[in-house]
Amino acid sequence: MKKNIIQIKGVKKSYKDVEVLKGVDFKVEKGSIFALLGSNGAGKTTMIKIMTTLLKSDAGSVMIDDFDVEKNPREIRDSISLTGQFAAIDEVMTGRENLQMIAKLRHLKNPNQVADELINRFGMSEAADRRVGTYSGGMKRRIDIAMSLVGNPKIIFLDEPTAGLDPETRLEVWKIVKGLSDAGTTVFLTTQYLEEAEQLADKIAILHGGKIIAQGTLEDLKKLFPSAKVEYVKKQPTLEEVFLAIVGKKEDK
Amino acid sequence: MKSINRYFFTDMGVMFGRSMRHIFRSMDTIITVSITPIAIMLLFVYVFGGAIETGTENYVDYLLPGIMLMTIGSGIAYVAYRLFTDKKSGIFERFHSMPIARSTVLWGHVLTSIISNGISVLVVILVALLMGFRSSAGILEWSAVFGILSVFTLALTWIAVIAGLAAKTPDGAGAFSYPIIFLPFISSAFVPTDTMPSAVRVFAENQPVTPIVEAIRNLLANQPVGNDIWVALDWCIAIIVVAYIFAMRVYKKL
C-alpha cells in the first residue's frame, strides 16, 4: 500500500454567499498522477489554491506531505510547485533568466546549472535566450512547466495544463507529465477534458456541485456505468487525428 | 509578525533584480515619465515665465522642485501598472506558492520605483541645467534633496501599490496618478501663493506639495530651510504609514 501524499477531508469554501466547495474528500497516492475533473466553475482552481497555500478553506483538513496547510504552509511550499491556469512567466526576461530566477528563489546552490539542465531537457536551447514575450503559446507552456520543475518538488500542481493549447503541444505536455510521474513525482492536475484524465491519470475524481461525486481508477469509474453495448460503427478519423498525422509527417524528427 | 525569513535578503535581491531588469529593458518608460514634466517646464519657463513674478532671478530655479515632484507623480503610474501586470499574469501566485519571504515580492517593486524615479528626476535635472538652472548647494544639501525626494517617492509608491493591486484594468491601475500630477499646480510650485484667492491659498499652503517644494527650493538655493523640511517629512511619513497599512491589507487579500 502506497503512502497518501495528499489527504483532503471535508474541505469547504464559500465566496461571499456562493458555496463553491461543500465538503470535498480525496486522497492522492505518492508518485501517482491524479486528475480532478470538472466543468468550468466547478471549483477546481479553488481546490488547487487551497492546497498550494494561496487560499484558506472555511472548514476541513488539508494534509500535504504530512503537513497541515493551516499550520505549516512554509514547509508545504518547500515540497510543492504550482503551474497556474495562465502561463505565469516574466515576459520581459528570457526563458533562461526565468528559470534562474526560480532556482534562486528556491535557494538552490547552482541556479545557472539547474537552468541549463532544464533547457536541455525541454529542448529549448534555441529559444532560451530570447525574451519570453516572443514565444508561442506552446513554448510559454513548456517554460512554465519547466519553471515548476526547478528544485524537483515532490508534488506538482498543474491547473488545466493544456487549456488553450494546440493538439500537438497538448501531446507534448502529456508526455512531460507522464515523464514526471515515472521519475517519482506526484502530479495533481485539473482538467475539463475527459480524454486528458483518461490518458494521464492513475486516479480520477469528478468534482461536481461542490462535492466529489465519483473517484477511482478509470476502470472503477467505468464500472459505474451500465456495461457496454457492442455496436459496430465505422470509425472516421477525427480532425485531430488527421491534423496530427499530417503535421507529424512534416516534422518527423 | 513571525521571525524574518533567513532568506529575506536573498529573495529581496532576486525580486529587485527582476524589476530593475524591467526598467533597463524598457528605458522608454524613463523617457515617457520625464517628457511631460520637461514639456511643462519648457512651457512655463519660456512661455509664461516672463510674466510670473517669483522674486527669484531665475525662474527655472524656482520651478525645478515642483517639476521634480511632477516627474515622480507620473513615474509611479508605472509602478502601479507593473504590479497590476504581475497580479494578472499569475506570477504573484507562483511566487506565493514558493518558500520565499512574501513581502519581498512587494518590496522589490518598491525599491525599483525609488531607483527608476531617481533616474527620471536626474534626466529632468539635466534638462534644467541646459535651461540655465544653477544651484549653489553643496553635497550635504543635494543629499538632503535626494533624501526628501526618496521619501516622497516611497510615499507615492505605497499609494501606487494599492492602486496596482486593487485595479481591475491596466488603465485603472495608472489613473490614480493624474490628481497627484496635478497637485503641484495648486501649490507654491509654479507661482507664490500670495496672489491666490484665499480659499485656494489655504489649500495650497496646507497640502503636502508646498512644504516639500519649499524645502527643496531652499536647499538648492543654499538658504535656511526652516520648518518646511519637517512638515514635508511629516506629510510623507504619514502617507507612508497609512498607505502601507492599506496596501498590506489589499495584498493579503490577493
Side-chain angles (χ1 to χ4, degrees), chain A residues 74 88 90 97 107 144 148, chain B residues 5 11 18 22 25 94:
Chain A
R74 276 211 70 83
D90 188 323
E97 287 166 345
H107 314 116
D144 197 22
S148 284
Chain B
N5 189 304
D11 297 345
R18 165 174 179 257
H22 284 226
R25 288 194 182 161
R94 164 160 258 147

Side-chain angles (χ1 to χ4, degrees), chain A residues 187-206:
Chain A
V187 180
F188 183 99
L189 61 92
T190 68
T191 181
Q192 15 177 337
Y193 306 118
L194 299 160
E195 197 201 345
E196 186 157 279
E198 202 173 327
Q199 283 283 334
L200 292 176
D202 301 313
K203 286 262 175 67
I204 301 167
I206 301 173

Side-chain angles (χ1 to χ4, degrees), chain A:
Chain A
M1 178 76 191
K2 278 197 177 171
K3 193 184 146 217
N4 289 319
I5 198 162
I6 301 178
Q7 298 189 59
I8 310 293
K9 272 184 212 143
V11 167
K12 291 183 183 174
K13 179 74 191 175
S14 308
Y15 291 106
K16 292 189 181 134
D17 299 331
V18 189
E19 208 179 358
V20 183
L21 303 175
K22 301 174 184 170
V24 172
D25 306 89
F26 60 81
K27 284 172 189 162
V28 178
E29 269 179 19
K30 198 175 178 198
S32 68
I33 303 180
F34 187 94
L36 187 62
L37 189 66
S39 46
N40 258 338
K44 302 189 296 289
T45 302
T46 304
M47 197 59 234
I48 281 217
K49 281 191 176 171
I50 292 171
M51 290 188 286
T52 52
T53 74
L54 296 175
L55 198 64
K56 282 202 164 72
S57 63
D58 300 335
S61 98
V62 176
M63 299 291 291
I64 310 277
D65 194 23
D66 292 332
F67 289 110
D68 187 323
V69 273
E70 296 277 322
K71 288 178 206 135
N72 307 80
R74 276 211 70 83
E75 283 75 7
I76 290 177
R77 286 179 204 134
D78 270 326
S79 47
I80 63 163
S81 84
L82 165 68
T83 305
Q85 221 169 98
F86 307 102
I89 329 167
D90 188 323
E91 303 220 336
V92 179
M93 302 205 294
T94 67
R96 188 187 304 275
E97 287 166 345
N98 268 289
L99 291 167
Q100 289 168 345
M101 172 176 75
I102 299 296
K104 282 178 198 157
L105 290 176
R106 287 218 177 262
H107 314 116
L108 303 181
K109 280 193 195 84
N110 39 7
N112 296 355
Q113 198 188 325
V114 171
D116 292 346
E117 280 166 15
L118 280 163
I119 288 163
N120 287 333
R121 179 165 156 203
F122 281 74
M124 293 194 308
S125 38
E126 266 172 59
D129 294 308
R130 273 196 287 129
R131 288 193 197 180
V132 172
T134 66
Y135 287 15
S136 67
M139 288 284 294
K140 280 185 188 165
R141 208 37 165 171
R142 242 196 285 178
I143 188 86
D144 197 22
I145 295 179
M147 280 160 79
S148 284
L149 304 190
V150 170
N152 298 316
K154 286 188 211 163
I155 313 169
I156 293 185
F157 291 91
L158 300 164
D159 196 3
E160 304 208 2
T162 61
L165 292 185
D166 58 71
E168 233 185 319
T169 320
R170 193 192 315 160
L171 288 185
E172 205 180 305
V173 170
W174 286 359
K175 220 169 93 187
I176 297 170
V177 172
K178 281 179 187 158
L180 286 176
S181 164
D182 292 341
T185 309
T186 309
V187 180
F188 183 99
L189 61 92
T190 68
T191 181
Q192 15 177 337
Y193 306 118
L194 299 160
E195 197 201 345
E196 186 157 279
E198 202 173 327
Q199 283 283 334
L200 292 176
D202 301 313
K203 286 262 175 67
I204 301 167
I206 301 173
L207 182 62
H208 186 79
K211 289 199 163 183
I212 301 289
I213 51 166
Q215 62 176 315
T217 61
L218 186 60
E219 293 308 311
D220 296 339
L221 292 181
K222 277 183 176 164
K223 278 181 205 150
L224 295 174
F225 291 90
S227 56
K229 245 195 305 183
V230 182
E231 250 180 60
Y232 292 96
V233 182
K234 195 172 173 187
K235 191 173 181 280
Q236 296 282 348
T238 62
L239 185 58
E240 186 174 324
E241 283 164 337
V242 174
F243 175 86
L244 288 171
I246 302 171
V247 176
K249 254 176 227 155
K250 238 193 263 171
E251 297 181 6
D252 237 339
K253 282 169 201 167

Side-chain angles (χ1 to χ4, degrees), chain B residues 91-163:
Chain B
I91 209 155
F92 270 174
E93 289 191 345
R94 164 160 258 147
F95 289 151
H96 289 165
S97 65
M98 293 177 64
I100 61 168
R102 260 183 188 222
S103 54
T104 60
V105 179
L106 281 191
W107 276 105
H109 280 285
V110 171
L111 268 191
T112 303
S113 163
I114 290 173
I115 307 276
S116 71
N117 279 303
I119 299 173
S120 301
V121 168
L122 281 178
V123 173
V124 169
I125 293 176
L126 278 178
V127 176
L129 281 171
L130 293 176
M131 290 168 68
F133 160 70
R134 293 296 176 267
S135 165
S136 49
I139 290 177
L140 198 68
E141 286 80 11
W142 274 107
S143 315
V145 168
F146 276 97
I148 297 175
L149 289 176
S150 304
V151 179
F152 181 69
T153 311
L154 195 60
L156 292 194
T157 299
W158 280 110
I159 299 179
V161 171
I162 303 175

